[in-house]
Amino acid sequence: MCHTSGVSSERAAHLLRLSALFQAAPAADVQALAELARLRTLRRGDVLFHQGDAATHLYVVESGWLKVSKLAAHGQREVVLHLSGPRQMVSGVSVFVDNARYSASAAALEDAGVLTLSAEAVRHQTAQSPALAQAVIAHFAKRHVELLERFDDLLFSDLNARLARLLLEHAPPGTTLLLPTNSELAAHLNTVPELVSRKLGEFYRQGFISLERRTVRIVDEAALRSLGGP
Amino acid sequence: MCHTSGVSSERAAHLLRLSALFQAAPAADVQALAELARLRTLRRGDVLFHQGDAATHLYVVESGWLKVSKLAAHGQREVVLHLSGPRQMVSGVSVFVDNARYSASAAALEDAGVLTLSAEAVRHQTAQSPALAQAVIAHFAKRHVELLERFDDLLFSDLNARLARLLLEHAPPGTTLLLPTNSELAAHLNTVPELVSRKLGEFYRQGFISLERRTVRIVDEAALRSLGGP
DNA sequence: CGCTTCCTTGAGAGCAGTCAACCTTTGTGG
DNA sequence: CCACAAAGGTTGACTGCTCTCAAGGAAGCG
């Protein structure tokens, strides 16, 4: 599935210092963490951790993209909470809760490399370094606000609105976008692939977007905005 | 609407030290905050802050209960995110985001008293006191996990399951519970009062609960659990 | 070319939401 | 004590959105 290897502490320190979370922390603190870091390689589709697993590690993406998602109990339903790219932290939250389990799953969207840090080490370093603690607080606060926005999005909007907003965000008028699979879109919109297909078709027929193969371009921005607004 | 008054710093310090957030912090740090604290009195229904207001203050509940909820854009729809009672913090998150606005609203469920602390002062003290920073991190992490559980609840369960779980949680078998209004229940379940009425009626007719006036008691625990489980 | 995967489309079912009417309870003032 | 009003609760009929199932078509890859 995936592979863990040692990594020079200089390289790890370099990566950590670039990360959003650790860039504010003193070099010495980062160095201490870096010595303990390992680099793990993921292939597209590999799962970094499953929802419910004991939260033992914190990860920093080095390359590639991960998706963090929640899975419905029995069904196949999946909702994407967040995408994490280079320099971003994954699973920061669970690590700071006692005896926590991951409350979501993380998987690689493409081949990726992640630095793994043990929860214990991170907590210890954070307790030592006020600057690092500040950075963690700022990160959590930001993530929390993002999550609340997602709440609004998923609870108060119908599918037309969610899809319209997704298109406006990812394919700003004037640009073009190669769509991922309908399944992946569905996971972002909290729906099923069939509905994505239908709605895209409707938008096309109504002249809101142009659609060629899987390439989409916004034609009628105003229409999409009015769908996304209310 | 509501009333702000000075409060002796000894009393404020005492309250703060009892709060979940500040109990781990050094006395000197708490004292500094307490000098700046004011006590605000709310009457049932008063709104402490509205979603979208600039996030200028952090609040610690002294007495009474507040509900933190999100409101749908135009409609009347409301979803309760969290209830905060004595010693609990309200709006901790927004205060640590730059130029943030409250991402939810807070209102008093009953007459209440809250200590108000300026965002600036809290951020400053947190930067000074590592122990306080640790407490903030632990609090945020816990809140984040709670929010993700709410996600599951609202996105992956139908109304029967949500109501069943709410009943099991608030009226453990053997105990009895006086229900709030259907509107309030609806806000917890992300639905409308009519549906709450209907579902409670169904549960009663099926013999899952006993219902007299507004007093409910669980009769068939297994049935409710099986509704809440899948 | 055949396999697999994904996309598309139709038909139908179910849950949730809306609207409107009516009923119950509560509290107030005459 | 009654009359009344206001707030909340209940119920029925109806609509609409989303999901499911199933069949068939297009695209990518060996």
Side-chain angles (χ1 to χ4, degrees):
Chain A
M1 286 274 295
C2 48
H3 179 250
T4 306
S5 75
V7 57
S8 78
S9 63
E10 294 78 35
R11 176 149 170 68
H14 181 65
L15 289 168
L16 286 182
R17 289 202 58 79
L18 288 176
S19 77
L21 186 63
F22 297 103
Q23 63 187 1
D29 299 335
V30 171
Q31 184 62 36
L33 272 178
E35 317 244 333
L36 297 166
R38 299 190 74 78
L39 183 63
R40 188 160 153 184
T41 308
L42 301 175
R43 317 208 54 173
R44 176 189 162 86
D46 283 351
V47 174
L48 189 56
F49 53 81
H50 285 280
Q51 185 172 344
D53 290 352
T56 57
H57 291 272
L58 180 146
Y59 306 90
V60 175
V61 179
E62 187 234 341
S63 62
W65 283 86
L66 305 189
K67 76 171 173 197
V68 179
S69 59
K70 275 186 97 59
L71 301 169
H74 291 274
Q76 313 291 47
R77 200 65 164 272
E78 175 189 26
V79 176
V80 174
L81 295 177
H82 188 76
L83 299 183
S84 291
R87 307 185 186 181
Q88 288 194 293
M89 182 169 68
V90 174
S91 127
V93 174
S94 303
V95 159
F96 288 95
V97 177
D98 289 327
N99 299 323
R101 306 191 159 272
Y102 294 117
S103 35
S105 305
L109 286 174
E110 51 189 71
D111 291 0
V114 294
L115 278 178
T116 76
L117 299 165
S118 90
E120 200 182 346
V122 171
R123 294 172 73 155
H124 182 259
Q125 269 316 308
T126 305
Q128 300 302 309
S129 164
L132 182 51
Q134 287 307 105
V136 170
I137 289 174
H139 177 267
F140 279 13
K142 192 167 151 233
R143 200 50 83 73
H144 203 90
V145 169
E146 287 172 11
L147 191 57
L148 284 171
E149 283 170 8
R150 202 101 176 83
F151 235 89
D152 269 356
D153 199 41
L154 293 176
L155 292 182
F156 295 143
S157 304
D158 66 9
L159 188 51
N160 281 322
R162 301 203 297 276
L163 178 56
R165 280 203 294 269
L166 184 144
L167 289 172
L168 285 165
E169 185 182 343
H170 288 74
T175 70
T176 195
L177 172 68
L178 182 62
L179 292 174
T181 68
N182 284 351
S183 294
E184 285 178 45
L185 285 172
H188 285 272
L189 298 168
N190 188 29
T191 185
V192 293
E194 292 95 322
L195 276 256
V196 173
S197 177
R198 259 188 250 276
K199 292 298 181 187
L200 281 174
E202 285 174 21
F203 283 8
Y204 172 72
R205 254 168 266 126
Q206 293 176 290
F208 299 164
I209 59 176
S210 75
L211 196 53
E212 211 151 324
R213 302 274 185 173
R214 298 247 87 204
T215 299
V216 74
R217 175 192 297 272
I218 291 181
V219 173
D220 187 345
E221 181 186 357
L224 288 184
R225 289 215 181 279
S226 79
L227 274 183
Chain B
M1 288 274 293
C2 49
H3 177 250
T4 306
S5 76
V7 58
S8 79
S9 63
E10 293 79 33
R11 175 148 171 69
H14 181 64
L15 290 168
L16 285 181
R17 288 200 59 79
L18 287 176
S19 76
L21 185 64
F22 296 104
Q23 64 187 357
D29 298 335
V30 172
Q31 184 62 35
L33 272 178
E35 317 245 332
L36 297 167
R38 300 189 73 79
L39 184 63
R40 187 160 153 184
T41 306
L42 301 175
R43 316 208 54 173
R44 177 188 161 86
D46 282 352
V47 174
L48 188 58
F49 53 81
H50 286 280
Q51 185 171 344
D53 291 351
T56 57
H57 291 271
L58 180 146
Y59 306 90
V60 175
V61 178
E62 186 234 343
S63 62
W65 284 86
L66 304 189
K67 76 170 172 198
V68 179
S69 59
K70 277 188 93 62
L71 302 168
H74 291 272
Q76 312 291 48
R77 200 65 164 274
E78 175 190 25
V79 177
V80 174
L81 295 178
H82 189 76
L83 299 183
S84 290
R87 307 184 185 182
Q88 288 194 291
M89 181 169 69
V90 175
S91 127
V93 175
S94 302
V95 158
F96 288 94
V97 178
D98 290 326
N99 299 322
R101 306 190 157 272
Y102 295 117
S103 34
S105 305
L109 286 175
E110 50 189 73
D111 292 359
V114 293
L115 278 178
T116 75
L117 299 164
S118 90
E120 200 183 349
V122 171
R123 294 172 72 154
H124 181 258
Q125 268 317 309
T126 305
Q128 299 303 310
S129 163
L132 183 52
Q134 287 308 105
V136 170
I137 288 174
H139 177 268
F140 279 14
K142 194 168 149 229
R143 202 51 84 73
H144 203 91
V145 169
E146 286 172 12
L147 192 56
L148 284 171
E149 282 171 9
R150 201 101 176 81
F151 236 88
D152 269 355
D153 199 42
L154 295 175
L155 293 181
F156 295 143
S157 304
D158 66 9
L159 188 49
N160 282 322
R162 300 203 298 277
L163 178 56
R165 279 202 294 269
L166 183 144
L167 289 173
L168 285 166
E169 184 182 344
H170 291 346
T175 70
T176 195
L177 172 69
L178 182 63
L179 292 174
T181 67
N182 284 350
S183 294
E184 285 179 46
L185 285 172
H188 284 273
L189 298 168
N190 189 28
T191 184
V192 294
E194 291 96 322
L195 276 262
V196 173
S197 177
R198 258 189 250 275
K199 292 297 181 187
L200 281 174
E202 286 174 20
F203 282 9
Y204 172 73
R205 255 167 265 127
Q206 294 176 291
F208 299 165
I209 58 176
S210 75
L211 197 53
E212 212 152 323
R213 300 275 184 173
R214 298 248 87 205
T215 299
V216 75
R217 175 192 298 272
I218 291 181
V219 173
D220 188 344
E221 180 187 358
L224 288 184
R225 290 217 181 278
S226 80
L227 274 182

